[in-house]
Amino acid sequence: MAACNLSALHTPALLLDEAKMLRNIRRLEDHAKSLGVTLRPHLKTAKSIEVGRRLSNGAQMPVTVSTLAEAEVFHEAGYTDILYAVGIAPSKMDRIKALQASGCDLVVILDSVEQAYAVAAAGIPALVEIDSDGHRGGLLHEDPQLVEIGKILHAGGAMRGVLTHAGESYNVTGRDAHAAFAERERAACVAAAEVLRAAGLPCPVVSVGSTPTAHAARDLAGVTELRAGVYMFFDLVMAGIGVCEVDDIALSVMTTVIGH
């Protein structure tokens, strides 16, 4: 927006620099392409159909969401390949099945036997969450429950693969440190996939990613898809840990100072 029009906005107002956002989008798309993996953007930060349309030059692509409300809105806008990247709960099943019935390939994540039985019974495809950094959830690749869960899902036609998220990568600074976390992500998720395949189970999807590790990854052998979210806009956290420069941040807030 031209500077002469900013005074017409009511404050506080969120301002998005589209040129910076597009530069950020292309940066990660190019990096994913160079590593030979599919990029699956996380739209929990953007929460915007207009931003979604600027991904992948406007072409439909696989996406990630954190709420079923997001899944419903983006599916209505034409997205059909959606990952719901929050541990599944029984209360969500009916809405997920409604999305499936409308043509959405919605995949959930889980890390327990109980979840696996419920998902398999409902015919909902799932990824098994793998713990790659002791952060929030998931199974270690050597956990016996991994194969047990895989067998339950496979018996119900629901086994899609494995997924991990190195959330602890936010706690280190610099490209080398993030690259080390990216390798931890890759190694843990690939090891889990190999355990499942050795047990005779399918594991077509090996999904990794966080904004810091997605940008710093140097080798994603064995990985099929890369996820990241805040990279479209970036923020001061990402600048502070060395993922981007302050000038890369595409969002700002305009406020009116009413006193000192």
Side-chain angles (χ1 to χ4, degrees):
M1 181 177 290
C4 61
N5 293 329
L6 291 178
S7 61
L9 293 177
H10 294 289
T11 58
L14 190 67
L15 306 181
L16 173 59
D17 187 320
E18 185 177 18
K20 288 184 178 181
M21 179 185 71
L22 291 175
R23 186 177 69 199
N24 296 337
I25 288 171
R26 296 291 96 78
R27 172 185 169 186
L28 190 56
E29 287 181 352
D30 289 345
H31 186 51
K33 185 176 181 180
S34 74
L35 293 170
V37 295
T38 298
L39 181 62
R40 181 185 288 274
H42 204 317
L43 297 174
K44 67 178 180 180
T45 301
K47 287 185 171 63
S48 166
I49 300 300
E50 286 302 317
V51 172
R53 287 173 179 153
R54 285 157 176 77
L55 300 171
S56 195
N57 292 315
Q60 291 293 341
M61 64 188 303
V63 296
T64 312
V65 298
S66 281
T67 69
L68 289 180
E70 292 167 5
E72 289 159 350
V73 169
F74 282 102
H75 178 53
E76 187 176 349
Y79 292 86
T80 58
D81 183 352
I82 300 178
L83 170 64
Y84 175 39
V86 176
I88 187 61
S91 61
K92 309 290 186 182
M93 297 296 189
D94 287 344
R95 288 174 73 184
I96 292 171
K97 291 173 76 172
L99 279 162
Q100 286 183 315
S102 65
C104 182
D105 183 19
L106 184 71
V107 178
V108 303
I109 68 170
L110 51 82
D111 62 0
S112 74
V113 169
E114 293 79 6
Q115 290 172 307
Y117 275 121
V119 163
I124 297 170
L127 300 175
V128 183
E129 185 176 8
I130 304 302
D131 181 1
S132 59
D133 63 1
H135 182 53
R136 292 182 298 190
L139 301 171
L140 298 175
H141 75 270
E142 63 266 30
D143 192 321
Q145 283 196 69
L146 175 59
V147 171
E148 183 181 0
I149 289 170
K151 289 179 177 178
I152 295 167
L153 293 175
H154 183 48
M159 183 61 188
R160 284 290 180 90
V162 290
L163 165 149
T164 193
H165 168 66
E168 289 296 314
S169 64
Y170 284 67
N171 294 330
V172 299
T173 300
R175 193 167 188 83
D176 288 343
H178 293 143
F181 262 102
E183 176 54 24
R184 285 175 61 177
E185 270 190 325
R186 186 202 70 80
C189 217
V190 169
E194 291 173 348
V195 167
L196 289 165
R197 290 166 184 155
L201 297 168
C203 190
V205 176
V206 181
S207 179
V208 305
S210 69
T211 291
T213 56
H215 286 82
R218 295 165 180 166
D219 175 17
L220 290 181
V223 170
T224 64
E225 67 177 31
L226 184 64
R227 306 182 324 278
V230 74
Y231 76 95
M232 304 163 200
F233 303 149
F234 283 129
D235 56 26
L236 289 172
V237 172
M238 291 296 105
I241 62 175
V243 181
C244 68
E245 301 296 331
V246 171
D247 188 56
D248 294 321
I249 299 173
L251 282 181
S252 59
V253 178
M254 185 175 74
T255 63
T256 300
V257 177
I258 59 173
H260 295 276

